[in-house]
Amino acid sequence: MSASKYKSYSDPELVSMCLKGDGHAWEALIRRYRRLIFSVPVRFGFEDADAADVFQAVCLKLLEHLHEVKDDRRISAWLVTTTTRQCLHLRVLKTRETTGEDENVEDRQDSSINLEDLRLVTEEQQSIREAVEELGGRCQSLIGLLYFDSTSPTYDEISGQMGIPVSSIGPTRARCLEKLRTILRRRGFS
Amino acid sequence: MRHTTTEALMDYVDGRASEDEKSSIDSHLSICKDCLELKQELQSLAVRLREDASFEPPAELLQWGVNLFQPIIRTETGGLPKYIASLVFDTFDQPMFAGVRRVGAPPRQLLFRAGDVDIDVKIEAMEANDRITLVGQVLSSGTKFFENTPVKLESHGLVRYRTHTNIVGEFSFDEVPKDTYHLSVDLPEGQITLFCVHRGNS
């Protein structure tokens, strides 16, 4: 089965396939939520190594809890909560290491991060990602090259990669963004 | 009044508009609320899209997450069936009691369940030598004890450590290096696999 086929499956479908031992479904699930998971420790301001530790721990927790999340229509909320808890836990451990002070994760009031805002922003960002995925085809490729590509390709390079004239990049981008706005509105994104 | 096109607004937002175009759009935006709102929406969307690129985990980290699943996709070779145990309790998820203070990381206690078999696991990290000790017990819902049952610790697809349960189903792995391990218990009914040890949360 092709990777694109897996992309079209819902979360419960992928989880159900994972529980039957389908590694491709697991890969699709991890790829779908990779940025969501990684964004939380980044927003917490963790260094790369700590952000990687959080990412690994959350992947492992997802695997451990697959039975529990199998009926969730969207597991993004579960992942945001779990990743946030992992970040808070790591922060407490690091505080303990450096100051010797002990703190309770539940009682900790972090003045630098509003957890509710973090949850909203992280979930909204996931909605945008999913809307871009839904665009599919040429629009998804163009948006990817224009906004996600770390090499920031020029219009000439985009033209070469996509096989479209430079002059049509602007109008295509406008049409794709209009389409993206429509998808986001349909998903209740304001 | 002729509205500004999405294409022109995106060139404006992305800084690709010429000075003349920019000046003309600025004039229009000062008198057109609809176009101003559209420009703000497109600007916000572009910011969110660009920001997302910074949340891309390194490729090797992503691959680590993908590979985590490998141990349970081994094909059956006519042997015993394999079961994935589900985690039903984890002290990691429990808040500490108010006022409780500890020195060092507390041991992590987990309880896994597969059918009517429970596997209790405690992981204690030794900060001094960056190792962990893992002790556990295989229990059934009845009075049966799982004596002399093979227990294995696997990492990176290889069995690293083996032991057997004692007369009351207890087992232990002392001072193994911190790593991500999959623990499996070979029961007569089949093999139970757990995902329970990770160097960051042991």
Side-chain angles (χ1 to χ4, degrees), chain B residues 113-133:
Chain B
R113 183 163 293 156
D116 61 354
V117 177
D118 284 351
I119 300 159
D120 191 11
V121 178
K122 189 169 87 172
I123 306 159
E124 192 153 12
M126 273 144 286
E127 305 296 339
N129 57 6
D130 215 30
R131 286 173 176 258
I132 55 167
T133 288

Side-chain angles (χ1 to χ4, degrees), chain A residues 116-133:
Chain A
E116 182 57 14
D117 284 351
L118 176 76
R119 186 187 66 76
L120 287 173
V121 168
T122 308
E123 288 201 52
E124 276 182 6
Q125 195 91 30
Q126 184 64 23
S127 292
I128 295 175
R129 274 175 216 129
E130 287 171 9
V132 173
E133 288 262 322

Side-chain angles (χ1 to χ4, degrees), chain B residues 74-158:
Chain B
R74 288 174 299 197
T75 51
E76 303 273 338
T77 53
L80 293 168
K82 292 177 170 58
Y83 303 96
I84 307 162
S86 56
L87 181 65
V88 291
F89 177 79
D90 183 357
T91 48
F92 192 80
D93 293 331
Q94 308 300 312
M96 281 165 65
F97 291 114
V100 170
R101 298 174 70 84
R102 289 197 187 99
V103 177
R108 185 180 179 194
Q109 192 113 23
L110 308 106
L111 181 66
F112 293 87
R113 183 163 293 156
D116 61 354
V117 177
D118 284 351
I119 300 159
D120 191 11
V121 178
K122 189 169 87 172
I123 306 159
E124 192 153 12
M126 273 144 286
E127 305 296 339
N129 57 6
D130 215 30
R131 286 173 176 258
I132 55 167
T133 288
L134 189 149
V135 295
Q137 187 174 20
V138 186
L139 301 154
S140 77
S141 55
T143 53
K144 178 181 164 190
F145 283 116
F146 295 97
E147 184 187 358
N148 202 30
T149 299
V151 184
K152 293 178 292 194
L153 265 190
E154 292 177 45
S155 69
H156 310 288
L158 295 172

Side-chain angles (χ1 to χ4, degrees), chain A residues 20-181:
Chain A
K20 288 175 186 156
D22 189 335
H24 296 297
W26 170 255
E27 180 171 353
L29 207 53
I30 289 295
R31 287 191 183 280
R32 180 174 295 175
Y33 288 109
R34 68 190 191 279
R35 288 187 189 144
L36 179 148
I37 300 170
F38 201 66
S39 72
V40 178
V42 170
R43 288 187 197 278
F44 261 80
F46 284 134
E47 291 176 1
D48 290 352
D50 290 331
D53 249 2
V54 170
F55 183 88
Q56 290 179 324
V58 172
C59 288
L60 194 66
K61 274 190 167 286
L62 178 60
L63 197 53
E64 289 171 343
H65 291 264
L66 278 177
H67 294 81
E68 290 168 34
V69 300
K70 71 176 191 289
D71 297 325
D72 284 2
R73 283 192 58 75
R74 285 169 56 85
I75 59 174
S76 60
W78 184 91
L79 280 170
V80 172
T81 304
T82 303
T83 313
T84 303
R85 283 185 63 89
Q86 195 69 36
C87 289
L88 289 171
H89 183 76
L90 183 60
R91 182 167 277 188
V92 170
L93 289 180
K94 292 185 89 64
T95 304
R96 199 181 280 156
E97 273 173 21
T98 52
T99 67
E101 289 175 14
D102 200 358
E103 296 181 62
N104 189 335
V105 173
E106 296 300 305
D107 292 343
R108 180 165 175 93
Q109 295 296 311
D110 193 314
S111 56
S112 64
I113 296 224
N114 180 318
L115 297 182
E116 182 57 14
D117 284 351
L118 176 76
R119 186 187 66 76
L120 287 173
V121 168
T122 308
E123 288 201 52
E124 276 182 6
Q125 195 91 30
Q126 184 64 23
S127 292
I128 295 175
R129 274 175 216 129
E130 287 171 9
V132 173
E133 288 262 322
E134 194 178 328
L135 280 174
R138 178 181 282 198
C139 273
Q140 189 182 347
S141 304
L142 182 61
I143 296 288
L145 286 167
L146 285 169
Y147 299 104
F148 299 151
D149 195 318
S150 57
T151 63
S152 304
T154 62
Y155 271 22
D156 281 336
E157 288 167 332
I158 292 173
S159 164
Q161 284 190 46
M162 293 192 63
I164 57 172
V166 171
S167 59
S168 73
I169 293 176
T172 308
R173 176 189 57 179
R175 278 196 302 277
C176 293
L177 286 172
E178 285 293 352
K179 207 172 152 187
L180 184 61
R181 288 173 65 223

